[in-house]
Amino acid sequence: MTDNDQILGLINLRKSLILSAFIIAFSLVRPVLAEESINMEHKPDAPSFTRSTATYNVPDVAVIRQDGKKLSFIKELDDGRPVVMSFVFVSCSAICPMLTHVMSKLQTKLDQEKQQAHLISISIDPESDTPAKLTEYAKKFGAEPGWDFYTGTRAVSLSLQKAFNTYRGDKMNHTAVILMRSKPGQPWLRVEGFLSADAVFQEYSALSR
Amino acid sequence: MISPFTYFPGAGRGFQRLVSNCWLLCLFLLSLASVGHAEPSAANNAEVEMGRKIYMEGMRPSGESLKGMRQSSVQVEGATAACETCHRRSGMGSLEGNIVVMPITGRFLFATAENRPLALVDPREAKNVTRAHAPYNDESLGKAIREGINVSGAKMSPLMPQYALTDVEIKAVSSYLKQLSSDLSPGVGESSLRFATIVTPGVDPQKSKVMEDMMRRAFEQRNASQQTYSGRMRSPLDLLPRTLRNWELTVWVLEGAPETWAAQLAEKYRSEPVFAVISGVSTTTWAPVHNFCQQEKLPCMFPSVALPPVETGYYPLYFSRGVTLEAEVLAKHLRSEDKSVPKRLVQFYRDDEVGRGAAKALTDALKDFDIKIENRALDDKDLAHLKNTLKDISSKDAVMLWLQSADLTAVSKAAPKQVPAVAYVSGFLAAENYSFISKAWKPNVRVVYPYELGAKREKNQQMMKGWLKTWQLPLVDEAFQSEVFFNVLFLTDLSSQMLDNLFRDHLIERAEDMLSFGSNVSAYPFLGLSRGQRFASKGAYIARFGKDGKLGADSEWLVP
């Protein structure tokens, strides 16, 4: 890494600089324009989620389950059951609760339909999310047997996030992604965005049909 | 030359100048905006309190818990439905993945074109500043809260829940928002932003001096970078002087017994209010400072202390849990050792706050573990006659040395010929002074080491070393100085993100969210906070001396 990179990355200012340049450029010329130009972050008609299929190379790493057991992640994944997976962290306040809520409702639905799937939630803040904290989190969302939460070292969590292309550089940058797969060896369905449990269940059912 | 405190280091000169001008101008425009800032209306206290309960606790005046709907079903309830969850305590909003949670304090919601403040809602995306909208009123606020339709008539992100609140409740929320983060925090002057750092009694003067020197130098550099501008952009700036807040540093040197510190702090604070406390150093307790910060709602950012209080607060942030963390890491290590662990562990510690705290933490962490723990609290007299205290140590024992470097030297002088099975040393307390270790002891010494090791550490520290050299500042204690260095850089980063929204709660929120941005200049392998987390580094290594005499990891990074 060069000094420049290091320093820019470090102070993370480049963007604020462009920001300043941006505001100034517009404000000086025609202040009203600045406001219009800045107003571009929400597109009301955008679909609330996207879907895609992908295969991922999953590293053979050791993870720790909410009960404290150290396990091979590949084995946990490939036990034959269909898998529904999300990445979350306990201290995340908006997106994760939403995702986890969807997972929770999905589990209820799957139970009603007598479907056996393995629900997996992986911590992206593993040094904080100890097995005890994950157990508490699971309880808060009414997780039943069949839904497991995993933590591990930072390196392990990072390698899993990277393997499933959910790594966004920082835990604050995560997006709402649910991954599912009907059985080992099959490609993954990746849904990203705002999902209802019903929509996820439909996607899941289509997958295992 | 590396000068990280100017805003645009490393960049080409032209760019550097251009951008610093932009920055100046940006502040200039902001200050124009704040001229028209209206006084917050003196809202009815009961109404504000009702609004606070909804906003902060997710509690409705009826005592019922707040319910938020998404996709026509209840999705969040009670505390998770509270506005604070997303819009944060300061009301300045946050960033959730790629979704911007808007600031919703009165300044932002009800502002008209002339007095609209500006916030950077996504530091990663320059264009993501708060957007302009028509001013809200209670009716449009109601529509946003109940139906998820904003004042411009657009459907909002489904992340924002919908709440079936009554008119009375909407009005209460509105009153709460009007007074929330409406006045700039204490320590923010018209042209200055004041910070303090704190030195407790008994700190090595070399250390406190280098801390102060580093901070003053960094502040000067940062202020200078704000003042330099080239000819082209000069005139608009000249029109409005004092558009910039100069960073000022004051050093609070505490004296006497810890019981008297609270009064000293209160007095210093009264005569010179500060926006935040940055860094600070103590070799003994820090609790009175911690309590003071919490009580005054004063952010106290990452002091260099070995024993932070176990009870966390909202405003004090720490690098780690210090010796308590080391104790728990050592306990975890001992519990996971396959090899037989010595039957007896003798703890040597100075009979002071830190020593007793460390020894107690280890005793607690080894409860129910099959090891006999013996404590030897040492005072000055004991340290002078250590031979006696040490003589019953045998090759079957483990010892733990919770001692600072000066005291470790005394140990080496009195060390018996008998080498203990293993001698653990506190990395925090030893502060890299391992010269006390004799040749015979060396193979048996393990350091509980809370910092990064080896090449990675070297690399992370390069920038600080270069900076110190440039300013001819001494390298007295690398880990300590890198904490100070991290602090001033991080502060620069935070302040650039906060623009002119100088609210203390917002500072803490930004620190919580953004800590793990940017490359690491600290001695720690990784620093990261999150909502509610107050300790940025969460583990330690067990390290030993290699053949080259250097410390290397003897365990993975252990997180208790």
Side-chain angles (χ1 to χ4, degrees):
Chain A
M1 203 188 260
T2 67
D3 274 347
N4 281 7
D5 286 343
Q6 208 173 22
I7 297 160
L8 286 174
L10 169 80
I11 317 186
N12 192 27
L13 270 172
R14 197 159 33 175
K15 284 158 184 166
S16 356
L17 309 185
I18 303 167
L19 156 75
S20 328
F22 186 90
I23 302 165
I24 304 323
F26 285 105
S27 308
L28 288 183
V29 183
R30 217 186 101 203
V32 186
L33 191 78
E35 298 179 343
E36 290 161 4
S37 310
I38 290 163
N39 184 9
M40 54 185 5
E41 70 224 11
H42 187 61
K43 300 184 201 77
D45 295 324
S48 63
F49 70 90
T50 60
R51 58 195 301 289
S52 56
T53 13
T55 50
Y56 302 110
N57 267 331
V58 185
D60 190 7
V61 289
V63 289
I64 298 166
R65 202 165 56 187
Q66 75 277 354
D67 57 3
K69 282 224 168 69
K70 198 169 181 172
L71 300 155
S72 146
F73 185 68
I74 294 248
K75 283 200 186 132
E76 288 296 282
L77 213 54
D78 291 352
D79 70 354
R81 282 179 291 176
V83 169
V84 182
M85 190 162 77
S86 65
F87 289 84
V88 296
F89 63 105
V90 170
S91 62
C92 150
S93 52
I95 289 198
C96 308
M98 199 180 67
L99 260 179
T100 311
H101 182 80
V102 167
M103 294 278 279
S104 163
K105 291 190 94 171
L106 177 70
Q107 189 176 38
T108 312
K109 264 190 149 28
L110 291 170
D111 280 353
Q112 283 164 0
E113 307 281 325
K114 306 251 176 310
Q115 300 231 22
Q116 280 241 322
H118 191 193
L119 272 57
I120 290 180
S121 294
I122 301 168
S123 168
I124 60 173
D125 188 13
E127 290 199 351
S128 270
D129 294 348
T130 55
K133 281 212 189 127
L134 289 177
T135 304
E136 197 182 306
Y137 188 72
K139 204 167 133 206
K140 189 170 136 195
F141 285 92
E144 300 285 341
W147 184 2
D148 290 315
F149 293 75
Y150 298 91
T151 184
T153 63
R154 250 172 56 72
V156 162
S157 173
L158 283 179
S159 72
L160 291 175
Q161 292 170 56
K162 284 183 179 154
F164 288 100
N165 188 23
T166 60
Y167 179 67
R168 298 287 176 270
D170 184 274
K171 67 176 180 290
M172 289 311 295
N173 292 352
H174 66 142
T175 49
V177 177
I178 289 182
L179 295 149
M180 43 193 142
R181 187 183 73 173
S182 58
K183 54 166 140 355
Q186 291 293 307
W188 291 86
L189 174 69
R190 177 189 183 96
V191 284
E192 197 156 349
F194 288 96
L195 301 142
S196 65
D198 289 342
V200 178
F201 183 70
Q202 270 169 27
E203 295 288 348
Y204 176 86
S205 305
L207 195 70
S208 44
R209 218 174 282 135
Chain B
M1 183 203 67
I2 301 174
S3 69
F5 305 100
T6 59
Y7 270 102
F8 327 101
R13 272 220 146 260
F15 178 63
Q16 187 162 334
R17 243 185 274 123
L18 173 76
V19 191
S20 38
N21 276 314
C22 290
W23 184 252
L24 288 172
L25 267 170
C26 180
L27 288 178
F28 159 85
L29 291 167
L30 287 174
S31 73
L32 276 181
S34 64
V35 172
H37 175 60
E39 280 296 303
S41 70
N44 177 316
N45 282 346
E47 201 173 67
V48 170
E49 174 56 18
M50 192 193 294
R52 190 195 64 78
K53 278 226 155 86
I54 294 170
Y55 188 97
M56 291 296 293
E57 296 169 15
M59 170 93 87
R60 300 178 68 174
S62 60
E64 227 183 308
S65 66
L66 186 65
K67 292 186 182 70
M69 317 274 289
R70 267 186 215 120
Q71 286 133 357
S72 54
S73 67
V74 176
Q75 276 224 334
V76 282
E77 193 173 339
T80 35
C83 321
E84 185 270 343
T85 310
C86 297
H87 294 282
R88 317 293 299 260
R89 189 190 279 233
S90 72
M92 287 300 299
S94 63
L95 190 64
E96 288 289 339
N98 294 325
I99 300 155
V100 170
V101 182
M102 304 312 262
I104 56 165
T105 63
R107 292 164 73 231
F108 286 88
L109 284 186
F110 308 113
T112 53
E114 314 81 64
N115 67 6
R116 175 171 300 115
L118 199 61
L120 178 63
V121 289
D122 184 350
R124 304 164 309 173
E125 277 293 334
K127 63 176 183 291
N128 255 338
V129 290
T130 39
R131 55 189 139 146
H133 56 63
Y136 272 88
N137 54 30
D138 285 1
E139 194 189 323
S140 47
L141 179 62
K143 209 167 156 87
I145 295 174
R146 291 174 184 142
E147 299 167 38
I149 308 284
N150 70 17
V151 71
S152 318
K155 207 167 157 31
M156 297 198 283
S157 159
L159 189 62
M160 163 76 193
Q162 290 163 30
Y163 303 88
L165 294 186
T166 64
D167 286 349
V168 172
E169 289 167 328
I170 298 283
K171 189 142 180 295
V173 169
S174 170
S175 298
Y176 181 73
L177 295 176
K178 279 183 183 129
Q179 54 79 52
L180 182 62
S181 300
S182 56
D183 299 324
L184 295 178
S185 294
V188 183
E190 217 173 300
S191 60
S192 68
L193 183 57
R194 192 185 302 246
F195 299 96
T197 191
I198 296 177
V199 180
T200 64
V203 170
D204 175 358
Q206 238 193 332
K207 272 175 83 167
S208 48
K209 176 162 192 318
V210 81
M211 174 176 82
E212 181 179 345
D213 288 349
M214 284 176 72
M215 291 179 78
R216 290 210 185 281
R217 175 53 71 192
F219 274 38
E220 273 166 28
Q221 234 183 310
R222 183 260 169 209
N223 290 339
S225 81
Q226 302 286 298
Q227 311 297 1
T228 48
Y229 47 83
S230 68
R232 210 166 82 84
M233 295 281 210
R234 184 173 289 164
S235 48
L237 278 168
D238 287 346
L239 288 174
L240 249 211
R242 292 201 286 171
T243 53
L244 298 168
R245 290 197 176 79
N246 231 40
W247 284 11
E248 291 173 1
L249 179 69
T250 167
V251 182
W252 291 348
V253 179
L254 301 177
E255 286 161 4
E259 301 81 70
T260 67
W261 295 355
Q264 294 176 45
L265 286 166
E267 181 47 41
K268 291 177 194 298
Y269 183 69
R270 200 166 26 245
S271 64
E272 267 185 320
V274 296
F275 182 60
V277 173
I278 308 297
S279 256
V281 54
S282 171
T283 48
T284 166
T285 181
W286 187 252
V289 181
H290 175 102
N291 295 339
F292 179 78
C293 295
Q294 190 59 22
Q295 178 197 317
E296 294 297 336
K297 301 185 181 337
L298 175 64
C300 285
M301 314 278 284
F302 306 106
S304 296
V305 293
L307 186 70
V310 177
E311 284 278 311
T312 56
Y314 183 78
Y315 294 95
L317 307 182
Y318 296 95
F319 282 107
S320 81
R321 291 186 297 132
V323 289
T324 312
L325 171 69
E326 287 188 343
E328 288 175 17
V329 166
L330 178 56
K332 179 169 179 160
H333 171 71
L334 288 172
R335 286 174 190 276
S336 71
E337 282 271 85
D338 318 321
K339 295 165 282 171
S340 62
V341 171
K343 287 276 166 282
R344 185 171 78 145
L345 173 71
V346 187
Q347 302 196 78
F348 292 89
Y349 56 91
R350 208 175 234 283
D351 197 6
D352 63 10
E353 202 86 27
V354 172
R356 285 189 297 264
K360 178 174 183 307
L362 185 57
T363 309
D364 290 349
L366 284 172
K367 231 192 316 209
D368 315 324
F369 185 65
D370 186 20
I371 196 165
K372 186 163 173 277
I373 299 176
E374 274 183 36
N375 292 335
R376 308 261 166 99
L378 311 173
D379 57 19
D380 282 333
K381 218 169 75 215
D382 300 326
L383 280 158
H385 303 94
L386 256 186
K387 269 210 159 63
N388 282 339
T389 331
L390 279 165
K391 74 171 179 246
D392 73 319
I393 299 297
S394 84
S395 60
K396 293 203 178 75
D397 295 320
V399 302
M400 172 71 219
L401 304 172
W402 293 114
L403 296 170
Q404 314 217 3
S405 67
D407 296 341
L408 283 168
T409 311
V411 171
S412 80
K413 291 205 180 105
K417 290 260 149 45
Q418 270 280 26
V419 181
V422 52
Y424 294 105
V425 175
S426 156
F428 273 121
L429 298 182
E432 312 288 344
N433 179 4
Y434 305 114
S435 58
F436 74 95
I437 302 169
S438 70
K439 222 179 179 151
W441 276 50
K442 207 155 214 172
N444 294 18
V445 168
R446 298 290 177 277
V447 183
V448 186
Y449 198 72
Y451 310 112
E452 187 55 287
L453 286 158
K456 266 200 200 132
R457 166 79 176 272
E458 282 283 310
K459 183 166 165 266
N460 292 347
Q461 308 276 256
Q462 254 170 24
M463 186 171 166
M464 174 183 76
K465 286 183 178 164
W467 184 79
L468 289 174
K469 210 179 235 158
T470 307
W471 298 106
Q472 300 182 338
L473 293 166
L475 186 63
V476 177
D477 178 335
E478 186 180 295
F480 165 67
Q481 281 172 265
S482 76
E483 294 187 336
V484 177
F485 191 66
F486 168 86
N487 261 317
V488 280
L489 281 183
F490 189 50
L491 187 64
T492 313
D493 194 358
L494 292 177
S495 89
S496 77
Q497 293 171 21
M498 289 169 67
L499 301 185
D500 212 30
N501 303 294
L502 297 170
F503 308 106
R504 289 166 170 182
D505 288 359
H506 190 40
L507 180 75
I508 297 285
E509 292 158 2
R510 283 297 188 190
E512 283 181 336
D513 284 0
M514 297 306 167
L515 193 59
S516 43
F517 269 42
S519 62
N520 186 0
V521 293
S522 79
Y524 297 94
F526 175 77
L527 292 174
L529 288 181
S530 182
R531 195 73 66 94
Q533 293 179 10
R534 289 296 173 267
F535 302 102
S537 179
K538 300 178 176 76
Y541 293 107
I542 304 295
R544 64 179 300 174
F545 294 95
K547 290 212 169 64
D548 56 359
K550 286 194 180 138
L551 266 186
D554 196 37
S555 77
E556 56 174 359
W557 179 252
L558 297 172
V559 179

